Every structure is written in C-alpha cells, then in structure tokens.
Amino acid sequence: IPAYNASTVLRRVVESALNQSVGPKEVIVIDDGSDDDTAGVAQSFGERIVFIKQENSGQGAARNRGLEVARGKYIAFLDADDYWKPDFIKKMSRFLDANPEAIAASCGYFARKKSGDYSGPSNIDALHKRHPHGLMLEDFFDFWARHDHIRTGTVLIRKSIIGKAGHQNGDLRISQDLEYWGLLGTWGPWGLLPEVLWVGDPGSVVKKQGWRRKYAKRRRLCPSVEAWQ
C-alpha cells in the first residue's frame, strides 16, 4: 500500500486488508514522504503491518520498495484511497491455485466517481453467468482493449513471475501500473474472476485531500514520452 498524505483514508484500506476472510501473510505500507499524519495512522497498527517510510518518489517507487521486502507467494497492490471486499484474498488465491498456468489474475471492480458509479469489466454480468468461478483470457491485450478490466487493486500476481519480469518503472509518476500490466502480459496468460471484490473510491480523497493537486504534481514530475522510450 503506497501512501502519500493519506491520513484520512489509510485506516480503511489497511483494515480491509487485515480483515480478509483469509488473512494475508503481510500488509506492507510505504509512506511516500507524506507531510500529514500518514505515518501515525500506519504505526497505530503496530506489528500487524510492515511500515516503511521513504522520501517522496512516487507510487511506482513505493510499490517497488514494498516488493523488496515482500515474502508472500502472491503479491497484490492496493492504493490508499481504495479497499478490498472481505473475500478478495480467499477467492483470488483460490483461482490462481486452481489455474497454475495463470501468471496473474484480476477481479471485477466497482468504482465511485463524481460523474457516476460504475462496475467493470464492461461485460461483467454476462461473464459471471457463464464463468462464475473465473476464466482464462485467450488474448489478454485484446480483452483489455475491449473491456477495460483492470484496476490496480484488482490484481493478484505470482511473486515468481515478478522475480522474472522485474519491478515497476519507478521513473513514471502516472500510469506505471498500466505499463506493468502490459509487461506482465508478455510473460504468460492472465485469468479473470468476474466478481466485484475491489472498490475504488477516489472521491473521498478528492474531497478531503486535494487529489487533483497531487495528480498535477505527478504530471509535472513524469518524464516525457521521449525520455520514457
């Protein structure tokens, strides 16, 4: 969980991870140079979490710092303004256990936005009827283009694949997760569990913490396309 000035929402997201029906091996919170009480909220969980503080370097760099110490068989990223439903770990790990050919899998999502709430992927209801226990995607990139099926906190990844593919591009201040899904998509097949197990709630941060200002800062710090290439 990368957290930057997330004191008003961090408790909810950490509790959603700790209170899973099947508990995680560890919950790692990386304070990415916050100047509010993010560290205080994180440390109030004591030994229930692994807490790391670093200078402000961006979400990708913060996630990479967590990957350096993560010990679990599976890895998931969860942003501070979002949260999991109680069965995320149970159902997603069960899917990967049952489908050893999958290098990663994602679940359905529900997102709250000022413009209106919505669920995804775009065909989730039909998919759930046909594949209540999940499915393997025949073409990850084609499915992604047609159905926009991934959000950061919906993904569970085999750590063994991360060891081969490497970490996220820490130089990118925005969309580093999207680039990472594309990278992982070249390492093997993906699965999908068409059930909503993740909730995206950026509205709470927009209201309480000035998310638009934080996003503007990320854009200013992001390298140009030429530098990225």
PDB file of all heavy atoms in Angstrom, residues 11-12 14 23 30-31 47 54 69 71 81 88 90 108 118 128 134 136 139-140 158 160-161 164 189 200 202 213-214:
ATOM      1  N   ARG A  11      -6.635   4.241   7.259  1.00  0.00           N
ATOM      2  CA  ARG A  11      -7.143   3.234   8.189  1.00  0.00           C
ATOM      3  C   ARG A  11      -8.119   2.288   7.491  1.00  0.00           C
ATOM      4  O   ARG A  11      -8.075   1.064   7.693  1.00  0.00           O
ATOM      5  CB  ARG A  11      -7.817   3.910   9.389  1.00  0.00           C
ATOM      6  CG  ARG A  11      -8.281   2.923  10.449  1.00  0.00           C
ATOM      7  CD  ARG A  11      -8.668   3.626  11.743  1.00  0.00           C
ATOM      8  NE  ARG A  11      -7.550   4.387  12.291  1.00  0.00           N
ATOM      9  CZ  ARG A  11      -6.553   3.841  12.979  1.00  0.00           C
ATOM     10  NH1 ARG A  11      -6.542   2.533  13.217  1.00  0.00           N
ATOM     11  NH2 ARG A  11      -5.577   4.600  13.436  1.00  0.00           N
ATOM     12  N   ARG A  12      -8.987   2.829   6.652  1.00  0.00           N
ATOM     13  CA  ARG A  12      -9.969   1.987   5.965  1.00  0.00           C
ATOM     14  C   ARG A  12      -9.301   0.954   5.075  1.00  0.00           C
ATOM     15  O   ARG A  12      -9.669  -0.228   5.089  1.00  0.00           O
ATOM     16  CB  ARG A  12     -10.912   2.865   5.124  1.00  0.00           C
ATOM     17  CG  ARG A  12     -11.949   2.073   4.350  1.00  0.00           C
ATOM     18  CD  ARG A  12     -12.816   2.967   3.475  1.00  0.00           C
ATOM     19  NE  ARG A  12     -12.044   3.613   2.418  1.00  0.00           N
ATOM     20  CZ  ARG A  12     -12.561   4.438   1.525  1.00  0.00           C
ATOM     21  NH1 ARG A  12     -13.849   4.736   1.588  1.00  0.00           N
ATOM     22  NH2 ARG A  12     -11.810   4.982   0.589  1.00  0.00           N
ATOM     23  N   VAL A  14      -6.162  -0.247   5.130  1.00  0.00           N
ATOM     24  CA  VAL A  14      -5.378  -1.235   5.883  1.00  0.00           C
ATOM     25  C   VAL A  14      -6.305  -2.241   6.555  1.00  0.00           C
ATOM     26  O   VAL A  14      -6.046  -3.452   6.533  1.00  0.00           O
ATOM     27  CB  VAL A  14      -4.473  -0.537   6.915  1.00  0.00           C
ATOM     28  CG1 VAL A  14      -3.795  -1.571   7.811  1.00  0.00           C
ATOM     29  CG2 VAL A  14      -3.416   0.309   6.217  1.00  0.00           C
ATOM     30  N   GLY A  23      -6.589 -14.333   5.843  1.00  0.00           N
ATOM     31  CA  GLY A  23      -5.682 -13.232   6.107  1.00  0.00           C
ATOM     32  C   GLY A  23      -4.434 -13.246   5.238  1.00  0.00           C
ATOM     33  O   GLY A  23      -3.967 -14.307   4.814  1.00  0.00           O
ATOM     34  N   ILE A  30       3.896   1.710   2.658  1.00  0.00           N
ATOM     35  CA  ILE A  30       5.040   2.564   2.370  1.00  0.00           C
ATOM     36  C   ILE A  30       4.580   4.012   2.394  1.00  0.00           C
ATOM     37  O   ILE A  30       3.794   4.446   1.545  1.00  0.00           O
ATOM     38  CB  ILE A  30       5.673   2.236   1.002  1.00  0.00           C
ATOM     39  CG1 ILE A  30       6.136   0.780   0.950  1.00  0.00           C
ATOM     40  CG2 ILE A  30       6.849   3.164   0.725  1.00  0.00           C
ATOM     41  CD1 ILE A  30       5.091  -0.163   0.407  1.00  0.00           C
ATOM     42  N   ASP A  31       5.056   4.773   3.375  1.00  0.00           N
ATOM     43  CA  ASP A  31       4.773   6.203   3.459  1.00  0.00           C
ATOM     44  C   ASP A  31       5.716   6.912   2.496  1.00  0.00           C
ATOM     45  O   ASP A  31       6.920   6.994   2.732  1.00  0.00           O
ATOM     46  CB  ASP A  31       4.975   6.703   4.892  1.00  0.00           C
ATOM     47  CG  ASP A  31       4.676   8.186   5.041  1.00  0.00           C
ATOM     48  OD1 ASP A  31       4.409   8.855   4.018  1.00  0.00           O
ATOM     49  OD2 ASP A  31       4.705   8.683   6.183  1.00  0.00           O
ATOM     50  N   GLU A  47       2.558  -4.081  15.102  1.00  0.00           N
ATOM     51  CA  GLU A  47       3.202  -5.184  14.403  1.00  0.00           C
ATOM     52  C   GLU A  47       2.274  -5.914  13.431  1.00  0.00           C
ATOM     53  O   GLU A  47       2.711  -6.865  12.761  1.00  0.00           O
ATOM     54  CB  GLU A  47       3.762  -6.176  15.417  1.00  0.00           C
ATOM     55  CG  GLU A  47       4.880  -5.593  16.274  1.00  0.00           C
ATOM     56  CD  GLU A  47       5.461  -6.603  17.238  1.00  0.00           C
ATOM     57  OE1 GLU A  47       4.930  -7.734  17.282  1.00  0.00           O
ATOM     58  OE2 GLU A  47       6.438  -6.274  17.934  1.00  0.00           O
ATOM     59  N   GLN A  54       9.816   6.511   3.221  1.00  0.00           N
ATOM     60  CA  GLN A  54      10.838   6.926   2.275  1.00  0.00           C
ATOM     61  C   GLN A  54      10.572   8.357   1.830  1.00  0.00           C
ATOM     62  O   GLN A  54       9.490   8.912   2.062  1.00  0.00           O
ATOM     63  CB  GLN A  54      10.839   6.004   1.051  1.00  0.00           C
ATOM     64  CG  GLN A  54       9.572   6.091   0.208  1.00  0.00           C
ATOM     65  CD  GLN A  54       9.634   5.204  -1.033  1.00  0.00           C
ATOM     66  OE1 GLN A  54      10.336   4.201  -1.065  1.00  0.00           O
ATOM     67  NE2 GLN A  54       8.898   5.592  -2.072  1.00  0.00           N
ATOM     68  N   VAL A  69      10.796  -6.255   0.107  1.00  0.00           N
ATOM     69  CA  VAL A  69      10.700  -6.943   1.397  1.00  0.00           C
ATOM     70  C   VAL A  69       9.562  -7.966   1.439  1.00  0.00           C
ATOM     71  O   VAL A  69       9.457  -8.725   2.393  1.00  0.00           O
ATOM     72  CB  VAL A  69      10.515  -5.930   2.548  1.00  0.00           C
ATOM     73  CG1 VAL A  69      11.685  -4.946   2.582  1.00  0.00           C
ATOM     74  CG2 VAL A  69       9.204  -5.168   2.430  1.00  0.00           C
ATOM     75  N   ARG A  71       7.309 -11.177   1.222  1.00  0.00           N
ATOM     76  CA  ARG A  71       7.682 -12.586   1.370  1.00  0.00           C
ATOM     77  C   ARG A  71       6.614 -13.547   0.876  1.00  0.00           C
ATOM     78  O   ARG A  71       6.810 -14.763   0.892  1.00  0.00           O
ATOM     79  CB  ARG A  71       7.970 -12.882   2.848  1.00  0.00           C
ATOM     80  CG  ARG A  71       9.123 -12.065   3.433  1.00  0.00           C
ATOM     81  CD  ARG A  71       9.246 -12.277   4.936  1.00  0.00           C
ATOM     82  NE  ARG A  71       8.056 -11.791   5.649  1.00  0.00           N
ATOM     83  CZ  ARG A  71       7.351 -12.512   6.496  1.00  0.00           C
ATOM     84  NH1 ARG A  71       7.671 -13.769   6.740  1.00  0.00           N
ATOM     85  NH2 ARG A  71       6.295 -11.986   7.108  1.00  0.00           N
ATOM     86  N   ASP A  81      -6.580   5.010  -1.316  1.00  0.00           N
ATOM     87  CA  ASP A  81      -7.954   5.521  -1.386  1.00  0.00           C
ATOM     88  C   ASP A  81      -8.957   4.455  -1.811  1.00  0.00           C
ATOM     89  O   ASP A  81     -10.133   4.767  -2.018  1.00  0.00           O
ATOM     90  CB  ASP A  81      -8.034   6.725  -2.329  1.00  0.00           C
ATOM     91  CG  ASP A  81      -7.363   6.477  -3.667  1.00  0.00           C
ATOM     92  OD1 ASP A  81      -6.457   5.633  -3.728  1.00  0.00           O
ATOM     93  OD2 ASP A  81      -7.729   7.137  -4.653  1.00  0.00           O
ATOM     94  N   PHE A  88     -11.498 -11.001  -1.088  1.00  0.00           N
ATOM     95  CA  PHE A  88     -10.554 -10.807  -2.203  1.00  0.00           C
ATOM     96  C   PHE A  88      -9.427 -11.837  -2.164  1.00  0.00           C
ATOM     97  O   PHE A  88      -9.190 -12.556  -3.148  1.00  0.00           O
ATOM     98  CB  PHE A  88      -9.961  -9.393  -2.178  1.00  0.00           C
ATOM     99  CG  PHE A  88      -8.877  -9.182  -3.206  1.00  0.00           C
ATOM    100  CD1 PHE A  88      -9.198  -8.835  -4.502  1.00  0.00           C
ATOM    101  CD2 PHE A  88      -7.534  -9.355  -2.881  1.00  0.00           C
ATOM    102  CE1 PHE A  88      -8.199  -8.659  -5.465  1.00  0.00           C
ATOM    103  CE2 PHE A  88      -6.534  -9.183  -3.829  1.00  0.00           C
ATOM    104  CZ  PHE A  88      -6.875  -8.834  -5.125  1.00  0.00           C
ATOM    105  N   LYS A  90      -9.057 -14.643  -0.441  1.00  0.00           N
ATOM    106  CA  LYS A  90      -9.546 -16.017  -0.482  1.00  0.00           C
ATOM    107  C   LYS A  90      -9.884 -16.457  -1.910  1.00  0.00           C
ATOM    108  O   LYS A  90      -9.409 -17.499  -2.381  1.00  0.00           O
ATOM    109  CB  LYS A  90     -10.783 -16.144   0.413  1.00  0.00           C
ATOM    110  CG  LYS A  90     -11.474 -17.494   0.353  1.00  0.00           C
ATOM    111  CD  LYS A  90     -12.729 -17.484   1.217  1.00  0.00           C
ATOM    112  CE  LYS A  90     -13.499 -18.787   1.115  1.00  0.00           C
ATOM    113  NZ  LYS A  90     -14.722 -18.762   1.958  1.00  0.00           N
ATOM    114  N   GLY A 108     -13.418  -8.420 -10.754  1.00  0.00           N
ATOM    115  CA  GLY A 108     -14.302  -7.321 -11.089  1.00  0.00           C
ATOM    116  C   GLY A 108     -14.143  -6.174 -10.109  1.00  0.00           C
ATOM    117  O   GLY A 108     -13.599  -6.338  -9.014  1.00  0.00           O
ATOM    118  N   TYR A 118     -19.817   3.029 -11.382  1.00  0.00           N
ATOM    119  CA  TYR A 118     -19.851   2.034 -12.451  1.00  0.00           C
ATOM    120  C   TYR A 118     -19.081   0.790 -12.022  1.00  0.00           C
ATOM    121  O   TYR A 118     -18.246   0.838 -11.121  1.00  0.00           O
ATOM    122  CB  TYR A 118     -19.263   2.593 -13.748  1.00  0.00           C
ATOM    123  CG  TYR A 118     -17.802   2.983 -13.657  1.00  0.00           C
ATOM    124  CD1 TYR A 118     -16.797   2.114 -14.079  1.00  0.00           C
ATOM    125  CD2 TYR A 118     -17.422   4.227 -13.150  1.00  0.00           C
ATOM    126  CE1 TYR A 118     -15.465   2.454 -13.994  1.00  0.00           C
ATOM    127  CE2 TYR A 118     -16.091   4.583 -13.064  1.00  0.00           C
ATOM    128  CZ  TYR A 118     -15.116   3.699 -13.492  1.00  0.00           C
ATOM    129  OH  TYR A 118     -13.788   4.050 -13.395  1.00  0.00           O
ATOM    130  N   HIS A 128     -19.995 -13.336 -15.541  1.00  0.00           N
ATOM    131  CA  HIS A 128     -20.233 -14.033 -14.282  1.00  0.00           C
ATOM    132  C   HIS A 128     -21.238 -15.163 -14.461  1.00  0.00           C
ATOM    133  O   HIS A 128     -21.098 -16.229 -13.827  1.00  0.00           O
ATOM    134  CB  HIS A 128     -20.741 -13.049 -13.232  1.00  0.00           C
ATOM    135  CG  HIS A 128     -20.883 -13.672 -11.867  1.00  0.00           C
ATOM    136  ND1 HIS A 128     -19.800 -14.080 -11.124  1.00  0.00           N
ATOM    137  CD2 HIS A 128     -21.981 -13.981 -11.129  1.00  0.00           C
ATOM    138  CE1 HIS A 128     -20.223 -14.596  -9.977  1.00  0.00           C
ATOM    139  NE2 HIS A 128     -21.541 -14.557  -9.967  1.00  0.00           N
ATOM    140  N   GLY A 134     -14.558 -18.060 -12.657  1.00  0.00           N
ATOM    141  CA  GLY A 134     -13.452 -17.415 -13.343  1.00  0.00           C
ATOM    142  C   GLY A 134     -13.109 -18.060 -14.663  1.00  0.00           C
ATOM    143  O   GLY A 134     -13.585 -19.155 -14.995  1.00  0.00           O
ATOM    144  N   MET A 136      -9.843 -18.146 -17.979  1.00  0.00           N
ATOM    145  CA  MET A 136      -8.552 -17.741 -18.519  1.00  0.00           C
ATOM    146  C   MET A 136      -8.810 -16.912 -19.774  1.00  0.00           C
ATOM    147  O   MET A 136      -9.659 -17.264 -20.596  1.00  0.00           O
ATOM    148  CB  MET A 136      -7.701 -18.965 -18.856  1.00  0.00           C
ATOM    149  CG  MET A 136      -7.284 -19.777 -17.643  1.00  0.00           C
ATOM    150  SD  MET A 136      -6.259 -18.834 -16.477  1.00  0.00           S
ATOM    151  CE  MET A 136      -4.864 -18.406 -17.532  1.00  0.00           C
ATOM    152  N   ASP A 139      -6.750 -13.843 -25.054  1.00  0.00           N
ATOM    153  CA  ASP A 139      -5.850 -12.790 -25.516  1.00  0.00           C
ATOM    154  C   ASP A 139      -5.951 -11.629 -24.536  1.00  0.00           C
ATOM    155  O   ASP A 139      -6.897 -10.844 -24.580  1.00  0.00           O
ATOM    156  CB  ASP A 139      -6.227 -12.343 -26.930  1.00  0.00           C
ATOM    157  CG  ASP A 139      -5.228 -11.354 -27.528  1.00  0.00           C
ATOM    158  OD1 ASP A 139      -4.679 -10.522 -26.771  1.00  0.00           O
ATOM    159  OD2 ASP A 139      -5.011 -11.392 -28.759  1.00  0.00           O
ATOM    160  N   PHE A 140      -4.992 -11.535 -23.625  1.00  0.00           N
ATOM    161  CA  PHE A 140      -5.024 -10.525 -22.578  1.00  0.00           C
ATOM    162  C   PHE A 140      -5.158  -9.111 -23.143  1.00  0.00           C
ATOM    163  O   PHE A 140      -5.981  -8.311 -22.690  1.00  0.00           O
ATOM    164  CB  PHE A 140      -3.755 -10.634 -21.736  1.00  0.00           C
ATOM    165  CG  PHE A 140      -3.524  -9.469 -20.818  1.00  0.00           C
ATOM    166  CD1 PHE A 140      -4.230  -9.337 -19.636  1.00  0.00           C
ATOM    167  CD2 PHE A 140      -2.591  -8.489 -21.143  1.00  0.00           C
ATOM    168  CE1 PHE A 140      -4.025  -8.250 -18.786  1.00  0.00           C
ATOM    169  CE2 PHE A 140      -2.363  -7.405 -20.313  1.00  0.00           C
ATOM    170  CZ  PHE A 140      -3.083  -7.287 -19.129  1.00  0.00           C
ATOM    171  N   ARG A 158       1.662 -13.788  -9.216  1.00  0.00           N
ATOM    172  CA  ARG A 158       2.610 -14.746  -8.643  1.00  0.00           C
ATOM    173  C   ARG A 158       3.954 -14.031  -8.421  1.00  0.00           C
ATOM    174  O   ARG A 158       4.509 -13.419  -9.350  1.00  0.00           O
ATOM    175  CB  ARG A 158       2.814 -15.929  -9.585  1.00  0.00           C
ATOM    176  CG  ARG A 158       1.579 -16.777  -9.776  1.00  0.00           C
ATOM    177  CD  ARG A 158       1.883 -18.037 -10.560  1.00  0.00           C
ATOM    178  NE  ARG A 158       0.648 -18.684 -10.963  1.00  0.00           N
ATOM    179  CZ  ARG A 158      -0.069 -19.497 -10.183  1.00  0.00           C
ATOM    180  NH1 ARG A 158       0.364 -19.768  -8.962  1.00  0.00           N
ATOM    181  NH2 ARG A 158      -1.198 -20.040 -10.617  1.00  0.00           N
ATOM    182  N   SER A 160       6.772 -15.319  -8.189  1.00  0.00           N
ATOM    183  CA  SER A 160       7.798 -15.928  -9.037  1.00  0.00           C
ATOM    184  C   SER A 160       7.895 -15.227 -10.385  1.00  0.00           C
ATOM    185  O   SER A 160       8.987 -15.107 -10.962  1.00  0.00           O
ATOM    186  CB  SER A 160       7.504 -17.418  -9.236  1.00  0.00           C
ATOM    187  OG  SER A 160       6.235 -17.605  -9.848  1.00  0.00           O
ATOM    188  N   ILE A 161       6.778 -14.743 -10.895  1.00  0.00           N
ATOM    189  CA  ILE A 161       6.773 -14.024 -12.174  1.00  0.00           C
ATOM    190  C   ILE A 161       7.393 -12.641 -11.995  1.00  0.00           C
ATOM    191  O   ILE A 161       8.132 -12.158 -12.859  1.00  0.00           O
ATOM    192  CB  ILE A 161       5.348 -13.915 -12.731  1.00  0.00           C
ATOM    193  CG1 ILE A 161       4.841 -15.315 -13.120  1.00  0.00           C
ATOM    194  CG2 ILE A 161       5.296 -12.981 -13.928  1.00  0.00           C
ATOM    195  CD1 ILE A 161       5.643 -15.996 -14.215  1.00  0.00           C
ATOM    196  N   LYS A 164      10.995 -12.712 -12.304  1.00  0.00           N
ATOM    197  CA  LYS A 164      11.498 -12.810 -13.679  1.00  0.00           C
ATOM    198  C   LYS A 164      11.301 -11.503 -14.449  1.00  0.00           C
ATOM    199  O   LYS A 164      12.193 -11.052 -15.164  1.00  0.00           O
ATOM    200  CB  LYS A 164      10.785 -13.949 -14.409  1.00  0.00           C
ATOM    201  CG  LYS A 164      11.020 -15.324 -13.814  1.00  0.00           C
ATOM    202  CD  LYS A 164      10.172 -16.364 -14.519  1.00  0.00           C
ATOM    203  CE  LYS A 164      10.339 -17.742 -13.887  1.00  0.00           C
ATOM    204  NZ  LYS A 164       9.476 -18.770 -14.550  1.00  0.00           N
ATOM    205  N   PRO A 189      -0.211 -16.205 -19.613  1.00  0.00           N
ATOM    206  CA  PRO A 189      -1.648 -15.932 -19.642  1.00  0.00           C
ATOM    207  C   PRO A 189      -2.178 -15.352 -18.333  1.00  0.00           C
ATOM    208  O   PRO A 189      -1.654 -15.615 -17.254  1.00  0.00           O
ATOM    209  CB  PRO A 189      -2.271 -17.305 -19.923  1.00  0.00           C
ATOM    210  CG  PRO A 189      -1.259 -18.280 -19.403  1.00  0.00           C
ATOM    211  CD  PRO A 189       0.082 -17.653 -19.629  1.00  0.00           C
ATOM    212  N   GLY A 200     -13.048   1.062  -5.791  1.00  0.00           N
ATOM    213  CA  GLY A 200     -12.250   2.268  -5.992  1.00  0.00           C
ATOM    214  C   GLY A 200     -13.042   3.481  -5.533  1.00  0.00           C
ATOM    215  O   GLY A 200     -14.170   3.682  -5.962  1.00  0.00           O
ATOM    216  N   PRO A 202     -11.854   7.111  -5.207  1.00  0.00           N
ATOM    217  CA  PRO A 202     -11.026   8.320  -5.221  1.00  0.00           C
ATOM    218  C   PRO A 202     -11.776   9.569  -4.804  1.00  0.00           C
ATOM    219  O   PRO A 202     -11.166  10.564  -4.431  1.00  0.00           O
ATOM    220  CB  PRO A 202     -10.572   8.413  -6.690  1.00  0.00           C
ATOM    221  CG  PRO A 202     -11.637   7.701  -7.455  1.00  0.00           C
ATOM    222  CD  PRO A 202     -12.075   6.572  -6.557  1.00  0.00           C
ATOM    223  N   ARG A 213      -4.657  18.220  -7.003  1.00  0.00           N
ATOM    224  CA  ARG A 213      -3.351  18.874  -6.850  1.00  0.00           C
ATOM    225  C   ARG A 213      -2.237  17.834  -6.828  1.00  0.00           C
ATOM    226  O   ARG A 213      -1.162  18.046  -7.404  1.00  0.00           O
ATOM    227  CB  ARG A 213      -3.335  19.702  -5.568  1.00  0.00           C
ATOM    228  CG  ARG A 213      -4.220  20.943  -5.608  1.00  0.00           C
ATOM    229  CD  ARG A 213      -3.923  21.876  -4.446  1.00  0.00           C
ATOM    230  NE  ARG A 213      -4.192  21.263  -3.152  1.00  0.00           N
ATOM    231  CZ  ARG A 213      -5.387  21.234  -2.567  1.00  0.00           C
ATOM    232  NH1 ARG A 213      -6.430  21.790  -3.171  1.00  0.00           N
ATOM    233  NH2 ARG A 213      -5.553  20.664  -1.391  1.00  0.00           N
ATOM    234  N   LYS A 214      -2.483  16.696  -6.159  1.00  0.00           N
ATOM    235  CA  LYS A 214      -1.469  15.646  -6.129  1.00  0.00           C
ATOM    236  C   LYS A 214      -1.232  15.088  -7.532  1.00  0.00           C
ATOM    237  O   LYS A 214      -0.100  14.812  -7.924  1.00  0.00           O
ATOM    238  CB  LYS A 214      -1.892  14.524  -5.175  1.00  0.00           C
ATOM    239  CG  LYS A 214      -1.845  14.917  -3.709  1.00  0.00           C
ATOM    240  CD  LYS A 214      -1.732  13.723  -2.798  1.00  0.00           C
ATOM    241  CE  LYS A 214      -2.979  12.899  -2.768  1.00  0.00           C
ATOM    242  NZ  LYS A 214      -2.909  11.819  -1.750  1.00  0.00           N
TER     243      LYS A 214
END
